[in-house]
């Protein structure tokens, strides 16, 4: 007996066959796919807005994360493990009722080194301002900072030309200096030309043995200015005639030790001075935390701004779904006549809207991730990708589909089956 090959029933036919019972979600999904296949061009063009919106969210969030990482890297280049002990004020009355500042001393530095574990580098800082003679009657206002050789490590300085003075130079009280790069260029035209030159301070010649720059431009907010000379600490004492210190620098072994060490350092120094004296321990921890919060807030605001494009895409989806409902009035009437409930009709069109929105969101998310990922592979730059941007992008796609698909779905659910079957 010959067999007849019957055509395979479509998902719409299967849905009609089961319309008298509650529809399964898989049937609703199949019907949504069939609807998409029937109008590919219209749905693809509608989906394009969602693709652009999702891609924008990923790219904006990536740019925000990249900017945040760059800013934090620049700040940490100053010295993430640095503790800067500063004298803030406080006077001591002398025997003749004269007040004198209660500055720190080298003994405070040695006491901290003996009692605080984890310190890998330290340096006192003695400051002196004067005009330096360059010969030929030319003088320049400059700032002399008396520091130890470890100051280069503590402040993460970059030697542009020549070298930094070492322990032997300090022990021998050598008259050597390391000058900041802008000062070297102003005086001699270039960093290389400055090395070996002689600068006279109070008639004492200093040989420039190196030129340095800060790892990060602090825009004049640090102790280093554009006219700074670094010399061995014992040498600056010749000019100041004192052993007092306004600042002491420490570097800890790890960033996790900075906060507890700063508290311990303050406790030691305060115990060695009068109660009315004020000392502070400045670290980058609070600044880095604040910068991270600001960068995160800016990223969120920019990402929300990019998410506005999703609203425009949602309007396009709603218009497309309204047109879709209008073109399928007879199908809706047949399904209702066969027993499909308003809830099932509403679920069908809402699923189609979410399917359309989420499909565009997935494609846009993939494209948005592909761009920074490709740049990271082809260039030496490390571009961080924020995983929360993926969650926000896909979540927004679903939300837009639900919000802007509700009106067409409700309109389809409220249609009168008698009127729809008469529609031509």
């Amino acid at each position: 007996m010959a067999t007849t090959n019957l055509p395979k029933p479509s998902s719409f036919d299967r849905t009609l066959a089961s319309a008298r019972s509650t529809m399964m979600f898989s049937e609703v999904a199949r019907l949504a796919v069939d609807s998409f296949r029937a109008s590919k061009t219209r749905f693809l063009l509608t989906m394009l807005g969602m693709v652009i919106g999702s891609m924008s969210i990923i790219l904006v969030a990536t740019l925000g994360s990249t900017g945040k990482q760059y800013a934090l890297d620049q700040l940490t280049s100053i010295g993430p493990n640095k503790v800067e002990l500063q004298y803030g004020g406080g006077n001591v009355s002398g025997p003749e009722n004269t007040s004198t500042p209660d500055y720190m001393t080298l003994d405070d530095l040695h006491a901290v080194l003996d009692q605080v574990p984890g310190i890998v580098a330290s340096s006192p800082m003695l400051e002196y301002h004067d005009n330096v003679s360059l010969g030929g009657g030319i003088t320049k206002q400059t700032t002399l900072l008396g520091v130890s050789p470890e100051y280069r490590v503590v402040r993460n300085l970059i030697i542009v030309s020549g070298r930094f003075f070492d322990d032997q130079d300090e022990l021998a009280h050598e008259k050597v200096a390391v000058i900041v790069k802008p000062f070297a260029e102003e005086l001699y035209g270039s960093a290389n030309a400055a090395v070996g030159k002689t600068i006279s301070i109070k008639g004492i010649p200093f040989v420039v043995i190196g030129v340095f720059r800060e790892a990060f431009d602090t825009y004049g907010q640090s102790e280093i200015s554009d006219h700074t000379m670094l010399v061995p600490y014992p040498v600056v004492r010749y000019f100041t005639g004192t052993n007092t210190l306004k600042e002491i620098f420490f570097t800890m072994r790890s960033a996790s030790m900075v906060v507890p060490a700063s508290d311990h350092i303050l406790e030691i120094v305060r115990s060695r001075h009068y109660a009315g004296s004020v000392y502070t321990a400045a670290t980058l921890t609070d600044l880095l935390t604040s910068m991270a919060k600001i960068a995160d807030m800016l990223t969120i605001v920019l990402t929300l701004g990019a998410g506005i494009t999703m609203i425009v895409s949602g309007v396009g989806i709603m218009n497309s779904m309204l047109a879709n409902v209008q073109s399928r009035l007879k199908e809706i009437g047949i399904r209702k006549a066969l027993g499909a409930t308003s809830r099932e009709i509403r679920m069908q069109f809402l699923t189609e809207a979410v399917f359309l929105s989420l499909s565009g969101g997935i494609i846009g998310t993939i494209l948005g991730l592909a761009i920074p990922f490709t740049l990271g592979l082809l260039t030496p730059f490390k571009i961080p990708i924020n995983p929360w941007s993926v969650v926000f992008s896909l979540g927004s796609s679903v939300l837009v589909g639900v919000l802007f698909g509700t009106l067409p779905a409700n309109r389809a659910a409220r249609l009168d089956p008698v009127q729809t079957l008469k529609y031509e």
Side-chain angles (χ1 to χ4, degrees):
M1 182 177 177
T3 60
T4 304
N5 293 327
L6 298 176
K8 184 179 180 180
S10 65
S11 60
F12 177 65
D13 295 330
R14 291 193 299 270
T15 301
L16 291 179
S18 61
R20 297 185 181 278
S21 61
T22 302
M23 290 179 64
M24 297 178 61
F25 180 75
S26 59
E27 296 173 334
V28 176
R30 283 196 297 267
L31 199 58
V33 173
D34 282 350
S35 176
F36 176 75
R37 289 174 177 172
S39 306
K40 294 186 183 69
T41 303
R42 183 179 66 186
F43 282 125
L44 286 174
L45 290 176
T46 305
M47 190 190 300
L48 183 60
M50 190 59 63
V51 172
I52 296 174
S54 300
M55 186 170 62
S56 300
I57 290 176
I58 299 295
L59 293 179
V60 168
T62 301
L63 288 174
S65 298
T66 304
K68 170 187 173 181
Q69 190 62 48
Y70 175 78
L72 295 181
D73 288 344
Q74 291 295 306
L75 284 176
T76 53
S77 65
I78 300 175
N81 303 344
K82 184 187 74 171
V83 178
E84 184 177 347
L85 187 61
Q86 302 171 337
Y87 170 69
N91 293 328
V92 180
S93 296
E96 299 180 359
N97 201 26
T98 58
S99 297
T100 56
D102 192 13
Y103 291 121
M104 297 175 291
T105 66
L106 279 179
D107 292 336
D108 294 320
L109 171 60
H110 296 150
V112 171
L113 293 177
D114 290 339
Q115 300 180 49
V116 179
I119 297 177
V120 296
S122 64
S123 174
M125 193 194 81
L126 196 57
E127 190 172 341
Y128 178 73
H129 300 271
D130 197 9
N131 290 322
V132 299
S133 176
L134 306 175
I138 301 175
T139 61
K140 288 283 186 179
Q141 178 68 31
T142 189
T143 300
L144 267 71
L145 298 182
V147 296
S148 73
E150 291 183 351
Y151 180 80
R152 180 182 63 85
V153 178
V154 173
R155 287 288 278 103
N156 196 22
L157 301 179
I158 297 175
I159 303 302
V160 178
S161 182
R163 67 179 181 89
F164 205 82
F165 50 82
D166 53 25
D167 293 335
Q168 185 61 38
D169 295 323
E170 185 179 43
L171 291 174
H173 295 193
E174 294 288 350
K175 310 305 185 293
V176 293
V178 182
I179 63 177
V180 70
K181 184 180 178 182
F183 198 27
E185 293 174 343
E186 178 184 347
L187 297 179
Y188 306 108
S190 68
N192 292 331
V195 177
K197 294 294 191 298
T198 300
I199 297 177
S200 179
I201 305 174
K202 295 291 186 182
I204 301 177
F206 282 77
V207 178
V208 179
I209 61 172
V211 178
F212 75 96
R213 67 175 178 86
E214 294 182 274
F216 171 66
D217 193 349
T218 57
Y219 301 100
Q221 299 303 308
S222 71
E223 73 280 2
I224 296 175
S225 66
D226 287 345
H227 296 85
T228 296
M229 293 176 55
L230 303 180
V231 298
Y233 170 79
V235 178
V236 178
R237 290 178 58 192
Y238 292 152
F239 303 102
T240 63
T242 178
N243 194 33
T244 59
L245 303 171
K246 292 182 65 176
E247 293 186 57
I248 303 176
F249 297 89
F250 301 96
T251 294
M252 307 309 300
R253 182 179 298 112
S254 65
S256 62
M257 303 175 68
V258 170
V259 174
S262 64
D263 295 336
H264 194 185
I265 290 171
L266 275 179
E267 181 183 352
I268 294 172
V269 173
R270 286 169 178 168
S271 68
R272 296 172 53 84
H273 291 266
Y274 292 95
S277 300
V278 179
Y279 306 94
T280 58
T283 68
L284 285 179
T285 303
D286 294 337
L287 180 59
L288 290 174
T289 302
S290 299
M291 283 293 296
K293 289 181 179 178
I294 294 173
D296 288 338
M297 185 58 64
L298 288 175
T299 300
I300 292 173
V301 171
L302 292 175
T303 303
L304 290 175
I308 294 177
T309 59
M310 305 280 273
I311 298 177
V312 179
S313 304
V315 174
I317 290 175
M318 182 172 64
N319 290 335
S320 177
M321 290 304 301
L322 286 173
N324 193 27
V325 171
Q326 186 67 25
S327 64
R328 295 164 61 185
L329 290 178
K330 183 160 288 189
E331 172 193 327
I332 296 171
I334 294 174
R335 292 195 59 233
K336 282 197 168 187
L338 293 176
T341 64
S342 296
R343 176 181 176 277
E344 291 168 347
I345 297 295
R346 182 182 298 107
M347 178 62 68
Q348 173 192 339
F349 283 92
L350 191 58
T351 300
E352 291 183 16
V354 173
F355 174 80
L356 182 62
S357 177
L358 184 58
S359 298
I362 292 174
I363 295 174
T365 300
I366 294 174
L367 292 177
L369 293 174
I371 294 176
F373 183 75
T374 303
L375 290 176
L377 291 177
L378 300 180
T379 64
F381 302 106
K382 293 182 179 180
I383 302 177
I385 296 176
N386 191 341
W388 285 108
S389 63
V390 178
V391 176
F392 181 70
S393 176
L394 296 179
S396 299
S397 300
V398 174
L399 184 61
V400 166
V402 172
L403 291 178
F404 290 92
T406 299
L407 177 62
N410 286 336
R411 177 169 294 186
R414 289 195 299 264
L415 290 175
D416 184 358
V418 176
Q419 297 296 325
T420 55
L421 289 174
K422 293 179 179 181
Y423 179 79
E424 293 295 337

